[in-house]
Amino acid sequence: MSFYFKLLSYQGRNVEVVLSNGEVISGVLISVGFSYVVVQTLSVPGYGGTEDILIRSRVINYVRVL
């Protein structure tokens, strides 16, 4: 629950989401739910275009706000 309330104040900021498998997803924090976050990333870096990625909170190790 505290995960939800802490991240709500960071919507619209750049974040890095580190997953339990070691993968890092970086982008803009679009929305936060009780069991998920949505991060908008570049679909092809350097060429523009964005992609929204829904990430379940159970696979998130931590979120770094940049």
Side-chain angles (χ1 to χ4, degrees), residues 2-3 5 13 15 24-25 28 32-33 35 37 39 47 54 59:
S2 64
F3 171 79
F5 289 117
R13 302 223 7 222
V15 294
V24 177
I25 298 172
V28 177
V32 180
S35 63
V37 297
V39 177
Y47 292 100
L54 184 129
V59 299

Side-chain angles (χ1 to χ4, degrees), residues 4-47:
Y4 171 75
F5 289 117
K6 286 179 184 179
L7 283 181
L8 273 178
S9 62
Y10 294 115
Q11 286 183 349
R13 302 223 7 222
N14 290 330
V15 294
E16 285 183 344
V17 181
V18 179
L19 305 180
S20 57
N21 65 0
E23 184 179 354
V24 177
I25 298 172
S26 59
V28 177
L29 184 63
I30 298 298
S31 68
V32 180
F34 285 110
S35 63
Y36 67 91
V37 297
V38 177
V39 177
Q40 186 178 52
T41 64
L42 292 175
S43 57
V44 180
Y47 292 100

